[in-house]
Amino acid sequence: MSMLTPPGMGGKYRVTGTAYPRMSRKRSRRRIVLAVLGSVLALALVGYGALQLIDVFRGDGPKRNTAAGAKDCPTKSPEAAAKGGAPAAASTASAPAKPAVVLPQPGTITVNVYNATPRAGLAKAVGDELAKRGFLIGTVGNAPADFDKKVPGTGILVGSPTTDKAVFAVLGTQLPGTTQQTDTRETADVDLILGDAFKELSTKEDADKALALLANPAPAPAKNC
């Protein structure tokens, strides 16, 4: 045994010549990698915190939030907010209201009522009711041969090629589901030919509501925030 060999050590730890055993453990690579990652994460957190502090001192944070909110939803005006009203910009977001439509009055429309069904007395009953609602009643009777027992729907409105569509629309509020046709007549009167599916005219209340909607179309709804 050499003089350089520590007591109790021999075999592969025996020192020969000038060599001596390495007494410390090798540093683990895993510990080194974890230490590097931890340092990078710490630097990232420090940098993020510094940016937040800079934004606070500059006052950028509230401005950014306000700008983002302004894009998403319209803000209320002070007067509307005090009254609990809708946002001031909401009116601009919705489609502009359509102007009121000038419709012909029932008293200016002459209606000829024809019965194309097997039900007796139907044309007279419908004509009397339309007269109560202000329409001028012309001819009342059975439908011409071209239509008699050949109208499966509710009814047909027949006018001249120059008949205003508004006339059809006003008369159509009294009997929904009618179709429209034109013939070679040159007069302004309109035929109402009652078909097999006809049961009764619309109630006066429903007809008046339909007329009001025709005269004042509802605007498109505003987008919800």
Side-chain angles (χ1 to χ4, degrees), residues 39-153:
S39 300
V40 172
L41 180 60
L43 290 174
L45 290 175
V46 171
Y48 178 76
L51 289 176
Q52 293 297 316
L53 288 175
I54 293 173
D55 288 345
V56 170
F57 285 115
R58 287 181 177 178
D60 292 342
K63 291 180 180 178
R64 290 176 182 174
N65 294 336
T66 302
K71 293 179 180 179
D72 295 337
C73 261
T75 57
K76 290 183 178 181
S77 64
E79 295 80 8
K83 296 179 181 179
S91 58
T92 59
S94 62
K98 295 181 179 179
V101 178
V102 179
L103 297 174
Q105 296 298 313
T108 63
I109 302 174
T110 299
V111 184
N112 304 313
V113 184
Y114 295 108
N115 181 13
T117 76
R119 297 162 58 184
L122 187 60
K124 183 178 185 307
V126 172
D128 290 344
E129 181 60 28
L130 289 176
K132 292 178 182 179
R133 301 184 185 187
F135 291 90
L136 298 178
I137 305 302
T139 304
V140 176
N142 293 326
D146 292 342
F147 294 99
D148 192 25
K149 312 299 188 298
K150 300 176 183 178
V151 181

Side-chain angles (χ1 to χ4, degrees), residues 156-180:
I156 300 175
L157 301 179
V158 184
S160 74
T162 59
T163 299
D164 190 348
K165 291 186 180 297
V167 172
F168 286 137
V170 170
L171 185 55
T173 60
Q174 312 300 313
L175 181 59
T178 55
T179 58
Q180 302 171 8

Side-chain angles (χ1 to χ4, degrees), residues 13-32:
Y13 295 105
R14 184 171 182 175
V15 179
T16 58
T18 59
Y20 59 91
R22 187 181 185 91
M23 302 303 292
S24 60
R25 294 182 180 179
K26 294 182 179 180
R27 182 174 294 178
S28 173
R29 291 184 178 179
R30 183 178 180 182
R31 290 184 179 180
I32 295 174

Side-chain angles (χ1 to χ4, degrees), residues 190-212:
V190 176
D191 294 348
L192 170 57
I193 305 174
L194 304 174
D196 293 335
F198 174 81
K199 294 182 179 180
E200 60 183 1
L201 294 174
S202 300
T203 63
K204 189 176 185 308
E205 291 75 13
D206 290 342
D208 290 343
K209 290 179 181 178
L211 278 172

